[in-house]
Amino acid sequence: MKLNNEYGLPETIVNALSRPTYSKGKANLSVTQLLNSPKIVALTKKFDNELEQDVSELFWALFGTAIHHILEHGKAENHVVEQRIHTHHDGYNISGAIDLQVIEDGAINLKDYKTTSAWAVMNDKPEWEQQLNVYAWLVEKEKKQPVSSLGIVAIIRDWSRRDAENKEDYPPAPIKEIPIMLWSYEQREKYVSDRISAHSACEFAMEIGGDLPDCTPEEMWEKPTKWAIKKIGGVRAKAVYENEAEAQKDLEALGKDYMIEHRPGERTRCENFCQVNTYCQQYRDYLATKEIK
């Protein structure tokens, strides 16, 4: 991938952002890739030499790496930090780097550091649950030690004291530990097998020049189209509907002081965060349907 410096950042910053800090080793897939859309992983590998990215977009990843290095200094005698574990499963070598393992009474409490936003902490992040459960599977499969609990240690980069004092459910401090549900070993292994199967099918389609499997709505961060009833001149919606006919029916009952606001659906990741969207036929088809409308 080619890195650009569109905003003219100083050379020292560019050098720091440009130098790789992550390696999955000799694994076919890292845990992060395993969880990712198979289509995005496959297209990224295929077009890596053609892709471009501005170095400024790497800042928060570097910031997160720095936080990890700093927190390593807090290691206690019963801590294992930044351990990369490899395993073979269903013909694939899978690896994952685990931030912190706390050993207590022969069992392991897994923790993962996330440099993230207050919004992410206040809302469900199913990918966090998936990631930590795959880590738990790796640990129990390779180290033969039971995992007792999982947790995210969230470092909230946009934390606000004012919001903490005034908003309900807002994190009370810039660091918050979030417990994560631990699945059964069988559920974890089935999840890993299903993900390997999805990636394998996508890789095979790529090899034979076939159609790649579509990204799911969850992988595209898809928001469905909605219709909101609002008072004319107002800001907040009185009600939000997934069906225009239902919104129209209620609007007629409310009278002329109200209106319907159409809120078109969007695929947030595709439009704003996918580096391979220009190579994706699914996204091109989606744009074509929007142009027709």
Side-chain angles (χ1 to χ4, degrees):
M1 179 180 291
K2 178 184 176 182
L3 293 176
N4 301 320
N5 185 16
E6 180 181 351
Y7 303 104
L9 301 182
E11 183 179 7
T12 51
I13 294 178
V14 172
N15 289 342
L17 293 172
S18 302
R19 289 167 183 161
T21 58
Y22 171 81
S23 172
K24 65 181 179 183
K26 296 182 179 180
N28 300 109
L29 292 169
S30 67
V31 170
T32 302
Q33 289 175 319
L34 185 74
L35 270 58
N36 200 356
S37 154
K39 176 182 280 188
I40 291 177
V41 173
L43 289 176
T44 300
K45 288 180 181 178
K46 180 176 181 179
F47 295 105
D48 182 64
N49 292 333
E50 300 176 28
L51 295 175
E52 296 186 7
Q53 185 177 25
D54 193 77
V55 289
S56 63
E57 297 175 24
L58 302 175
F59 173 73
W60 287 114
L62 180 67
F63 182 83
T65 300
I67 291 292
H68 280 66
H69 288 321
I70 292 168
L71 292 176
E72 284 185 41
H73 293 293
K75 177 182 176 181
E77 290 185 0
N78 64 329
H79 291 179
V80 177
V81 300
E82 298 294 335
Q83 183 182 33
R84 179 165 292 279
I85 300 176
H86 289 257
T87 195
H88 288 273
H89 187 72
D90 290 350
Y92 275 68
N93 187 322
I94 306 296
S95 79
I98 301 170
D99 293 339
L100 175 62
Q101 300 169 64
V102 180
I103 316 300
E104 295 176 341
D105 299 324
I108 298 176
N109 177 3
L110 293 187
K111 297 182 186 293
D112 190 71
Y113 302 130
K114 298 289 186 189
T115 303
T116 188
S117 66
W119 183 92
V121 171
M122 297 168 68
N123 291 272
D124 290 336
K125 297 282 287 183
E127 60 268 34
W128 289 356
E129 183 174 320
Q130 295 159 0
Q131 180 185 12
L132 264 69
N133 274 282
V134 175
Y135 284 163
W137 171 79
L138 275 172
V139 166
E140 291 192 350
K141 187 173 188 295
E142 291 301 315
K143 300 181 73 169
K144 312 301 181 185
Q145 290 179 270
V147 173
S148 57
S149 65
L150 308 174
I152 293 289
V153 180
I155 294 94
I156 306 165
R157 59 177 182 248
D158 59 349
W159 184 81
S160 163
R161 184 178 299 277
R162 177 177 294 180
D163 287 342
E165 293 173 350
N166 296 295
K167 290 185 178 181
E168 188 177 358
D169 296 329
Y170 194 88
I175 300 176
K176 181 176 180 179
E177 187 163 1
I178 305 167
I180 297 295
M181 183 174 69
L182 177 65
W183 304 343
S184 69
Y185 184 87
E186 292 74 21
Q187 184 180 358
R188 285 177 254 153
E189 187 153 270
K190 181 181 184 305
Y191 177 79
V192 172
S193 294
D194 289 346
R195 295 306 301 166
I196 289 175
S197 178
H199 282 275
S200 178
C202 189
E203 290 172 3
F204 180 70
M206 179 75 78
E207 288 175 7
I208 65 173
D211 293 331
L212 301 186
D214 285 343
C215 288
T216 65
E218 293 77 17
E219 288 168 340
M220 297 184 292
W221 306 346
E222 186 171 64
K223 297 177 183 177
T225 296
K226 294 183 182 293
W227 290 264
I229 290 183
K230 295 172 58 178
K231 194 164 187 176
I232 295 174
V235 177
R236 294 188 177 182
K238 182 177 179 67
V240 180
Y241 304 80
E242 296 185 3
N243 183 290
E244 184 179 12
E246 292 180 4
Q248 189 63 46
K249 180 181 177 181
D250 285 358
L251 178 67
E252 292 172 1
L254 286 168
K256 62 180 182 179
D257 292 335
Y258 289 84
M259 59 172 282
I260 290 179
E261 178 183 75
H262 179 222
R263 298 178 175 178
E266 63 178 21
R267 296 176 176 178
T268 306
R269 186 182 195 181
C270 302
E271 296 175 17
N272 301 309
F273 299 100
C274 181
Q275 295 176 327
V276 293
N277 59 8
T278 57
Y279 303 98
C280 177
Q281 186 61 48
Q282 183 183 6
Y283 183 58
R284 289 196 289 265
D285 293 343
Y286 168 72
L287 291 180
T289 62
K290 291 184 71 174
E291 291 173 1
I292 292 172
K293 293 179 182 178

